[in-house]
Amino acid sequence: MLNKVFFDELETRSADARTADHLAALNAQLSRVAAVENSCLPDVGRLSDLSDLARLPVLRKSELAKWQAEKPPFGGMAVSNVAHIFQSPGPIYEPGGISHDWWRMGRFLHAAGFGAGDIVQNCFGYHLTPAGMIFESGARAVGAAVLPAGTGQTELQVTAARDIGTTAYAGTPDYLKVILDKADEMGVSLSITKAAVGGGALFPSLRQEYADRGIACLQSYATADLGNIAYESPAMEGMIVDEGVIVEIVTPGTGDPVAPGEVGEVVVTTLNSDYPLIRFATGDMSAVMAGQSPCGRTNMRIKGWMGRADQTTKIKGMFVRPEQVAALVARHDEVSRARVIARRDGQQDAMTVQLESSGGNADSYVESVIATLKLKGTVEVVEPGSLPRDGLVIEDQRSYD
């Protein structure tokens, strides 16, 4: 029997109500961005429909790092109510707030069964990165107590979990096993019955091992910049998009939405008024799932992490990037899609460019290939709709064994 008690009424609102609320919140975000003097983000005015979002530029981490270097610490963004400043590799600096459920993690922890009376052993890092605070704020939102354990010192973690009666775990998927195995080695019985994990792959075999130990384990998809993006419910059918973000799936290297169900890059617009990120590219690949979750939550679902969108590949000593492939497609109205294949021809690199085209022959595209990709290669014209819809625009078929 699935849990029908929800974190708030937003989780079960109608699609029309969600769309209207999101449009109003998005336009408010755009107003905040426009109000910042010399903002790095463009002033695009009000949008009349959520689909207009696709006309706005995509913001990438490389741009954010450049802006922050020029205007520290946040690159001239419309940031407010800062309580913490975190650092991610790059370096990139992210603000953190302390208002109720600032990172929107409470909705996921509620779905995972966390609540008042639970003691959460929070094994996410608290040093420079925000992961520890993200999950702590979520635990506070559902009324749970927190042991701010961080990582390492596993024997002490086992002792603390036993002494205080830890009932729930938050951390990476694999570290819980480390704690449980150490507890077995020490002859200690723990009371952990639920786990909320992220920051790594939760393999089915590991989830089953936890289930065999009586621990229900669910995962979320969150980033330091955006907070919670999507999360599993007890239905465990895809990941439900959080109510405080707008998620798009686009062709890698572009801002163009893919067809429903196709694999592409996850682009997120956060509705957090303290840190308005508009069309922020995560670099992760996923796809939209059709229908609604059996748990009763009505928002869109995605399939979870399906690889990285940065398919940049070096061919013949030159980097070929998804943005270049997108530029090649844009040069020809009759070309709907392209795929670059890197392979070996004897001891040398070779490149094949496949183009879905409703007209033209291979020779007519050779100059465009050289101009955009800066390399010569074999051009193949294929029927529209014939290339795989797997999110790849650059496929590396070379063996590195």
Side-chain angles (χ1 to χ4, degrees):
M1 181 70 178
L2 296 176
N3 180 11
K4 292 292 185 180
V5 179
F6 304 104
F7 182 73
D8 57 26
E9 70 280 0
L10 298 181
E11 293 181 319
T12 56
R13 58 185 160 172
S14 69
D16 288 345
R18 182 176 289 109
T19 297
D21 292 345
H22 278 183
L23 181 60
L26 174 59
N27 279 319
Q29 290 288 64
L30 294 174
S31 296
R32 294 183 189 96
V33 169
V36 175
E37 186 176 355
N38 298 320
S39 172
C40 295
L41 293 172
D43 180 2
V44 298
R46 291 184 62 83
L47 304 183
S48 59
D49 191 272
L50 279 185
S51 63
D52 294 338
L53 188 59
R55 296 191 287 102
L56 276 57
V58 169
L59 172 60
R60 300 198 173 274
K61 285 195 175 186
S62 57
E63 294 175 284
L64 194 56
K66 178 177 178 290
W67 295 350
Q68 290 187 355
E70 294 171 350
K71 297 180 180 180
F74 301 123
M77 304 281 285
V79 177
S80 58
N81 299 315
V82 178
H84 299 99
I85 298 176
F86 300 99
Q87 184 195 71
S88 293
I92 292 177
Y93 296 94
E94 299 100 2
I98 54 175
S99 59
H100 176 74
D101 202 22
W102 196 86
W103 305 96
R104 305 178 318 281
M105 193 55 68
R107 191 168 283 109
F108 165 51
L109 294 186
H110 178 83
F114 288 43
D118 277 315
I119 300 174
V120 182
Q121 192 137 334
N122 187 2
C123 295
F124 281 106
Y126 281 80
H127 178 65
L128 287 180
T129 62
M133 293 298 294
I134 289 173
F135 274 78
E136 180 168 317
S137 68
R140 190 178 302 117
V142 297
V146 174
L147 172 67
T151 58
Q153 303 185 88
T154 306
E155 189 169 323
L156 288 177
Q157 296 233 23
V158 171
T159 300
R162 177 197 63 196
D163 291 349
I164 68 174
T166 293
T167 60
Y169 166 89
T172 58
D174 53 350
Y175 190 56
L176 175 56
K177 177 172 168 53
V178 174
I179 292 175
L180 296 173
D181 289 348
K182 176 60 72 172
D184 291 344
E185 179 186 313
M186 295 168 61
V188 171
S189 177
L190 300 181
S191 303
I192 298 173
T193 61
K194 60 198 78 169
V197 302
L202 174 58
F203 297 103
S205 58
L206 185 58
R207 195 198 308 253
Q208 186 59 52
E209 181 173 340
Y210 294 151
D212 293 343
R213 289 175 177 260
I215 300 171
C217 182
L218 298 179
Q219 61 185 326
S220 71
Y221 169 37
T223 72
D225 320 89
L226 299 159
N228 194 27
I229 298 171
Y231 60 98
E232 285 186 320
S233 76
M236 289 192 291
E237 291 190 12
M239 305 188 84
I240 302 161
V241 172
D242 183 74
E243 298 296 331
V245 294
I246 300 170
V247 169
E248 302 170 87
I249 308 294
V250 308
T251 302
T254 78
D256 301 329
V258 302
E262 288 188 14
V263 179
E265 182 176 12
V266 179
V267 170
V268 181
T269 296
T270 174
L271 303 177
N272 180 351
S273 60
D274 289 341
Y275 191 31
L277 290 173
I278 310 297
R279 299 203 86 199
F280 188 73
T282 65
D284 296 323
M285 301 281 278
S286 192
V288 172
M289 291 181 65
Q292 295 180 355
S293 173
C295 70
R297 293 169 177 86
T298 58
N299 206 355
M300 180 177 81
R301 296 177 296 169
I302 59 176
K303 292 183 179 180
W305 190 81
M306 300 177 70
R308 290 292 293 171
D310 185 6
Q311 300 163 28
T312 298
T313 303
K314 185 176 283 188
I315 307 173
K316 300 180 183 179
M318 297 286 290
F319 282 111
V320 178
R321 307 177 188 279
E323 293 86 345
Q324 293 170 275
V325 182
L328 172 60
V329 174
R331 288 171 71 107
H332 301 277
D333 292 340
E334 75 278 11
V335 175
S336 56
R337 190 180 296 266
R339 190 181 188 97
V340 172
I341 300 173
R343 52 185 176 79
R344 297 290 285 176
D345 184 2
Q347 297 302 313
Q348 295 184 327
D349 285 349
M351 180 180 76
T352 299
V353 180
Q354 296 179 324
L355 301 172
E356 283 190 5
S357 175
S358 58
N361 55 51
D363 291 342
S364 65
Y365 298 115
V366 169
E367 289 187 8
S368 288
V369 168
I370 296 172
T372 53
L373 305 185
K374 312 303 179 185
L375 289 171
K376 293 182 179 180
T378 301
V379 178
E380 297 177 355
V381 176
V382 300
E383 289 294 321
S386 62
L387 292 179
R389 266 48 179 173
D390 55 6
L392 287 181
V393 294
I394 303 174
E395 179 184 358
D396 194 346
Q397 294 183 349
R398 296 169 294 188
S399 173
Y400 295 91
D401 295 338

